[in-house]
Amino acid sequence: MLRSGTIVLVANVVDVAAVLLRNIILARLLPVEQFGLAATFSILMTMIETFQNVGLNRLVVQDSRAEDPHFLASLHGAQIGVSVAAALLLAAFAYPFALAMGTPALTSAYLLLALVPLANAFGNLETFRMQRHGKFGPQVRRALLSQPIGLLAILPGYWWLGDHRAALVSIIAQQWAAVVLTHVHVRPAFRVAFDRMVWQTAAAFGWPLIANGLLMFLILNGDRIIVLHRFGPAALGWFSAAVMLTLTPANLIAKSLQTVTLPPLSRARSNTGAFQRIYDRCCSATALAALASILGALLLGKVIIALLFGEKFMPAAGFLTALACMNALRLLRVAPTIAAMAHGETRNPLYANLVRALGVPLAMAAATLTGAIGPMILAGILAELAGATLAGELAHRRAGIDGARYRQLLLLLTLCLAAALMVTWGSGYGWLLLLPLATLLLGRCAARLDLSAALQVFRATPTSRRG
């Protein structure tokens, strides 16, 4: 499991690094206003992923019936139906989206993004089913190759079009490459079937994920849409850079943890002791990563912005720490979300994000009343804290596990981010609080991240060496 986790992490790092490098290249090639327009493609891509996110890739890991070829083929049928519906919905929504963004001239470019769900319709879910047996090779190959292909597509796209549409070329190239790679060295071959009972299973598993995805779209992009409308495309450009630098590491860690932790948690759900130990270590890992992201933004934010994006993006440096604090809370609640999913409960993030979404109108009100971005981010931080609290309580009740460690880590992390905000918004006394609190949180996390004990827990659960 440790070896598998390392392989998955390396693949995800390459995946995320390629996305980051792609955006850095675009930021260097384009004026800030053009980079802001390119960010609207990213917003629309998030919407596409929301419409398609019925969680079929997670269902084939969580559900034991995935070993049946007919079940897998029927999930492929469901995937095709969902993807075609998403493409049609995107085509209908392109012009209203362009009007809402204030970019009606980009309608045709937005329409081209319908090629993404059409490609995703034919992804081979066998790539994900193999993870049930600890086989991460196909998924790793997909991650290692698809994003670099998208990265390489930027330069010809820029030479051809000469503006923000280079981002569109890169996105489409990456998505199509990812789908093709799900069929490379994967057996059995892609098959399609249509089974009403399987579709009902997929719908029951997936509807909370779609609803949650819509909320996540509002949460993740609400701030950027507010910035575009209140402060203009240039502000959206540098604000998007700050969001990317803080959200990307959080997404990397969350994706890696889910890939590695969901299978053993699913196997251990009938063993309360083993489940609790794995869960506590997952909580400690997310808290440690969250603390590192806050400290990294606080200490290195200005240097990173100047080094990666250049002086024209320096206004973003003043908001990196606050955005890192918001994403740190979002990262911590990944642990209870995975624990709930291991029990087949996909509504946990939906309920938590219902609370988190309340922060969007609060953020809009803050930006309107103050004419500043800082209060808008603070509203998001408070909403994330409420969402993280609710996610933990719901998961602990559903999975029947002790939530004492999660609550303790959430409290310590909240105190750390409050001290970090004191520092970034002008009070050096915040360091007097942040240093001892960070040391205490680090000690609590390290106490539960004993690798030898972790290996014993994983070995105690059935593995797939015979696969």
Side-chain angles (χ1 to χ4, degrees):
M1 181 60 68
L2 183 61
R3 179 175 176 272
S4 297
T6 302
I7 293 172
V8 169
L9 179 61
V10 169
N12 287 340
V13 166
V14 171
D15 188 336
V16 168
V19 173
L20 180 61
L21 186 56
R22 180 178 72 193
N23 283 280
I24 291 171
I25 293 173
L26 286 170
R28 292 288 185 174
L29 290 173
L30 302 173
V32 179
E33 294 83 356
Q34 287 278 313
F35 189 76
L37 293 176
T40 64
F41 294 134
S42 173
I43 293 173
L44 190 55
M45 265 303 301
T46 306
M47 188 180 299
I48 295 171
E49 292 168 353
T50 295
F51 294 145
Q52 289 190 282
N53 183 28
V54 294
L56 299 181
N57 58 335
R58 283 165 279 183
L59 181 59
V60 296
V61 175
Q62 189 271 337
D63 199 310
S64 60
R65 289 175 294 175
E67 303 298 330
D68 179 4
H70 176 73
F71 184 82
L72 188 63
S74 298
L75 289 182
H76 285 146
Q79 179 176 256
I80 291 173
V82 169
S83 298
V84 171
L88 294 174
L89 191 58
L90 174 65
F93 196 69
Y95 183 63
F97 176 81
L99 290 179
M101 293 292 101
T103 56
L106 295 182
T107 301
S108 58
Y110 295 147
L111 282 170
L112 284 174
L113 282 175
L115 293 172
V116 172
L118 290 177
N120 290 336
F122 300 98
N124 195 342
L125 293 172
E126 174 66 15
T127 298
F128 301 96
R129 190 200 66 81
M130 294 169 69
Q131 295 175 14
R132 290 178 55 84
H133 304 293
K135 294 181 177 180
F136 295 95
Q139 176 64 9
V140 167
R141 180 169 54 247
R142 176 174 176 265
L144 286 176
L145 296 178
S146 66
Q147 288 292 1
I149 288 173
L151 176 63
L152 292 173
I154 289 178
L155 292 180
Y158 182 73
W159 288 330
W160 175 31
L161 300 168
D163 57 22
H164 55 275
R165 290 173 294 175
L168 178 64
V169 174
S170 176
I171 290 171
I172 294 175
Q174 183 273 321
Q175 292 287 325
W176 277 73
V179 171
V180 170
L181 288 166
T182 64
H183 297 272
V184 176
H185 297 303
V186 174
R187 295 289 183 272
F190 183 85
R191 291 179 56 248
V192 177
F194 298 95
D195 188 316
R196 182 180 177 183
M197 296 301 295
V198 175
W199 281 45
Q200 289 176 348
T201 298
F205 187 86
W207 79 259
L209 296 175
I210 294 177
N212 176 64
L214 291 171
L215 289 173
M216 285 301 297
F217 172 80
L218 177 64
I219 292 165
L220 294 177
N221 296 288
D223 290 346
R224 292 203 286 175
I225 294 172
I226 293 170
V227 169
L228 175 62
H229 282 279
R230 296 293 305 176
F231 306 102
L236 175 62
W238 56 254
F239 185 78
S240 293
V243 170
M244 181 184 61
L245 284 177
T246 54
L247 183 60
T248 300
N251 285 344
L252 165 65
I253 295 165
K255 182 179 178 181
S256 300
L257 274 175
Q258 179 173 292
T259 301
V260 175
T261 308
L262 181 58
L265 278 175
S266 297
R267 293 192 296 262
R269 59 190 172 189
S270 60
N271 185 337
T272 304
F275 194 98
Q276 182 76 55
R277 289 190 291 273
I278 299 171
Y279 173 68
D280 284 347
R281 289 184 173 89
C282 186
C283 290
S284 296
T286 54
L288 187 61
L291 176 63
S293 68
I294 294 172
L295 294 177
L298 187 61
L299 296 171
L300 302 173
K302 291 183 178 180
V303 174
I304 292 173
I305 287 289
L307 181 64
L308 298 183
F309 292 94
E311 291 297 323
K312 60 186 177 182
F313 284 85
M314 281 308 293
F319 302 100
L320 272 182
T321 299
L323 288 169
C325 289
M326 186 165 64
N327 286 308
L329 291 169
R330 183 179 296 139
L331 177 59
L332 185 64
R333 66 181 170 104
V334 166
T337 298
I338 297 173
M341 191 175 295
H343 282 270
E345 174 59 77
T346 56
R347 290 173 291 182
N348 179 279
L350 170 62
Y351 296 145
N353 282 327
L354 281 171
V355 174
R356 170 60 183 91
L358 296 176
V360 176
L362 291 177
M364 180 174 291
T368 301
L369 293 174
T370 65
I373 292 177
M376 179 189 78
I377 300 175
L378 182 58
I381 291 173
L382 294 175
E384 282 290 354
L385 177 59
T389 301
L390 181 62
E393 294 306 314
L394 292 176
H396 301 151
R397 185 183 309 167
R398 175 67 179 86
I401 54 178
D402 183 6
R405 170 150 294 269
Y406 177 81
R407 297 187 194 99
Q408 183 184 70
L409 295 176
L410 177 59
L411 175 60
L412 287 172
L413 183 63
T414 301
L415 294 174
C416 285
L417 68 87
L421 290 175
M422 287 178 60
V423 174
T424 195
W425 284 336
S427 175
Y429 291 108
W431 284 109
L432 299 177
L433 294 174
L434 180 57
L435 292 177
L437 286 169
T439 301
L440 179 59
L441 178 57
L442 179 61
R444 295 301 173 101
C445 293
R448 289 298 178 98
L449 288 176
D450 178 67
L451 288 179
S452 61
L455 285 173
Q456 291 175 7
V457 173
F458 289 131
R459 288 168 181 163
T461 61
T463 62
S464 59
R465 295 180 183 274
R466 61 183 179 276

